[in-house]
Every structure is written in structure tokens, then in C-alpha cells.
Amino acid sequence: MIVAMQEVATEEQIQKVIERLVHLGFEVHRSTGARQTVLGAVGARNEFDIRDIEVLEGVSEAHRVSSPYKLVARSFRPEGTVVKFSNGVSIGGQEVVIMAGPCSVESHEQIFEVAEMVSKAGARFLRGGAFKPRSSPYSFQGMGEEALKLMRDAADKFKLLVISEVMEISQIPLMIPYVDVLQVGARNMQNFNLLRELNYDVMLCERGIRTFETYTRNTMDISAIPIVKKLSHLPMVADPSHGTGRRDKVPPMGRAAIAAGTDALLVEVHNCPDKALSDGAQSLYPEQFTKLMAELRIIAPAVGRTLA
Ligand code: MN
């Protein structure tokens, strides 16, 4: 931590700050300039509250140097985390992994058709919602366990892995036999009880942020990809479907995400988007997805990656 004292800070105030830092377990290095004193503090645990220093008399500003998220910081594992799956596929390595499928599992026919199509096009994962966290209680709420069974069967038939969203702790034991990746949605990002139940093989996903821009559903923040890759060793997934909310914007943002260094891409594809029960407007038509995959096969090698 770096603590800059005010220019008018008295020696007594400086000493009190030093005493407080030592009390917290820091080793303090003092630098007394012509106008201002700066204290470099190293070695303490991270759990302290930086405001305890900021409010001391004579302090101008205090900044952390090391991150408060030590376990996921890039410095903790500089080589990066690679999440490995039973069929040999891994995320975080050289291959960019494509995850594709409908927003919601709607029927046997739908999920098997989509699974066959995305598998042929080179996807490694079948995505699909079983429990739908809809904004309205009147919207389609998902097929539940039946959807998980259908997805697992379709994925096994076409040699895919399964990713699906978990909504609450009680669903975890139900989902584990059917899915390879549990997805946590934006609504649950601060459900800390749920997050605590999940394991260390974590991947982060950029799926759009809230801004003042209303043209797209969310604002897809491509710059988050290189930023997170620098700050954290966790693999990065990008979801241009929810990031933009419009199918014509999905391929360009998917291409951009791979160019920017994402490790995986999560895309909504439907065999008949016009009849989809949820997110039809952002679901790609099968031929759009196949075309996107052909484009990604050109971009991936250009940035040192491979694609199945
Ligand atoms: Mn969706």
C-alpha cells in the first residue's frame, strides 16, 4: 500500500499513521520529499479496510498495490488456469472453445437438431437453459430436469459437453449428473451463498454491462477481455448474444471477442429462432452460426489460437 501524506501534515500525524500501519502488520518505508511525505507499506494481510488509513489525520490518499483478490490474481498463477474436461477438451489453453445452443431447451426435436448442427460446425459445448430466470413470472420458466436429461442425451450423441445455468443451491445436486459447466447468471453474481458452493475451476464471462446506450440490450465490453486476462489467471468466456441482444450484432462481436483474446465463446443458436420461447431475437439461424464458425477459423490462427 502507498500512503501519501498531505503537504501540511505534521510530524506527529505522520508518526501516528506509521504506528497504525505497524500495528496492522505492515513494514513501513518512509520517503520524505521536499514538500510531501510518502509511506510505502508492505507485508500485511489483505483483510484490512483501507478506509482505516484514509480517515487518519494528515493522510492525502492511500492506494493498494497488491490486489484484494489474491486467489484469482494473475500473479498467483502467471501461466494461467486451464480448465480440463473428461473428453480431453480444455478451456484456457490454445484452443478457443465454442459453446452454442438455444436460450431454453424447449423440446426433444429442438435440442437434438441444434446439437447436431452446432457439433458439425465445430462447437465443443451444447448450451441451453433448464431453469429460466425470467424478468416476468408469466414468461416461459423452463423445462427443469427434463431439459437437463434431453441436453445430456443430445450432447452425448453428438460428442458435446453441456453448460447450463444454476439458479439456486438446491439445484446443484440435481444438475451435477447432467452438466459439465454450471453457469451463474448476472442476476446471481452477488448471491454469495450460491457462489461459495461452487468449486475452484472458475471461468469469467463478459456478457454485456449496463450503460446509457439503449440501442443494444447490454453494452458488450470487449475491452474487459484483455483487462481480465491481465489481472486474473482465470479463463475468459464471451457471450455476444446477451451482450448485444440482437442477432445481427452477434457475429461481429463474436469475431471481436476472439480477436481480443477470449478463451471461449458462448452463442445462442436456435433451429427456428422465429418460434423460440425465449431470446429468439438474439438467437442465430443455423446458417448464420455455420458462417460465423468459418469466419472464426480465420481469426483464431491470426491471434495464435486454434479452433476445432
Ligand atoms: Mn438467453
Side-chain angles (χ1 to χ4, degrees):
M1 182 171 54
I2 302 290
V3 183
M5 301 301 295
Q6 293 168 359
E7 289 184 24
V8 296
T10 63
E11 183 57 30
E12 192 188 352
Q13 287 170 339
I14 294 169
Q15 285 305 326
K16 277 202 173 147
V17 174
I18 292 173
E19 273 169 34
R20 188 63 195 266
L21 289 169
V22 169
H23 180 74
L24 284 167
F26 284 104
E27 188 183 316
V28 182
H29 301 265
R30 176 173 177 168
S31 161
T32 308
R35 288 165 46 180
Q36 191 180 15
T37 294
V38 174
L39 305 171
V42 292
R45 294 194 311 264
N46 256 317
E47 299 95 82
F48 77 96
D49 188 338
I50 198 164
R51 292 173 302 177
D52 290 343
I53 304 300
E54 286 169 340
V55 297
L56 295 177
E57 275 182 57
V59 170
S60 171
E61 49 194 313
H63 300 281
R64 285 177 185 274
V65 178
S66 61
S67 61
Y69 43 89
K70 277 217 158 64
L71 278 178
V72 303
R74 173 66 67 172
S75 54
F76 183 76
R77 194 179 289 160
E79 72 281 13
T81 285
V82 178
V83 178
K84 297 187 172 96
F85 298 92
S86 55
N87 65 350
V89 169
S90 57
I91 300 179
Q94 210 191 3
E95 181 185 335
V96 180
V97 171
I98 310 300
M99 305 163 160
C103 182
S104 316
V105 178
E106 298 166 4
S107 68
H108 181 285
E109 184 195 3
Q110 173 229 29
I111 198 68
F112 274 74
E113 263 187 42
V114 176
E116 181 172 18
M117 190 275 292
V118 301
S119 173
K120 275 186 183 155
R124 296 289 207 183
F125 273 78
L126 180 63
R127 64 144 292 152
F131 309 99
K132 296 310 295 178
R134 308 302 297 282
S135 302
S136 163
Y138 304 106
S139 300
F140 176 59
Q141 302 294 309
M143 288 173 66
E145 189 173 4
E146 180 59 19
L148 297 172
K149 281 185 189 151
L150 288 174
M151 234 186 324
R152 184 76 262 168
D153 290 347
D156 287 347
K157 183 170 178 190
F158 299 105
K159 298 191 165 51
L160 295 164
L161 294 156
V162 172
I163 175 169
S164 194
E165 181 172 352
V166 60
M167 300 293 302
E168 47 190 279
I169 293 173
S170 64
Q171 290 167 350
I172 297 174
L174 175 72
M175 294 182 74
I176 291 292
Y178 301 111
V179 310
D180 301 287
V181 173
L182 290 164
Q183 201 182 336
V184 178
R187 291 173 182 81
N188 266 318
M189 279 314 298
Q190 294 188 49
N191 181 344
F192 299 116
N193 289 323
L194 173 64
L195 298 182
R196 243 195 301 273
E197 291 297 315
L198 304 172
N199 67 30
Y200 280 87
D201 276 334
V202 174
M203 297 181 271
L204 301 173
C205 184
E206 163 57 33
R207 49 77 76 202
I209 54 172
R210 289 239 172 107
T211 65
F212 292 106
E213 176 56 61
T214 54
Y215 188 80
T216 47
R217 177 178 179 176
N218 295 293
T219 294
M220 176 99 181
D221 182 9
I222 296 287
S223 63
I225 297 167
I227 291 170
V228 171
K229 293 295 288 182
K230 184 183 175 192
L231 295 178
S232 176
H233 57 77
L234 298 178
M236 190 73 200
V237 183
D239 174 355
S241 303
H242 293 87
T244 65
R246 289 165 175 254
R247 82 168 62 86
D248 60 323
K249 305 293 176 282
V250 172
M253 296 312 273
R255 297 192 299 256
I258 289 192
T262 190
D263 299 297
L265 203 62
L266 185 62
V267 181
E268 287 191 342
V269 190
H270 198 287
N271 55 335
C272 187
D274 303 328
K275 291 187 180 154
L277 296 181
S278 60
D279 284 348
Q282 68 189 36
S283 299
L284 297 185
Y285 288 98
E287 55 276 18
Q288 274 183 306
F289 179 69
T290 308
K291 181 168 179 276
L292 172 62
M293 289 298 287
E295 293 165 349
L296 299 182
R297 274 201 193 84
I298 297 168
I299 295 170
V303 292
R305 309 295 289 265
T306 59
L307 202 86

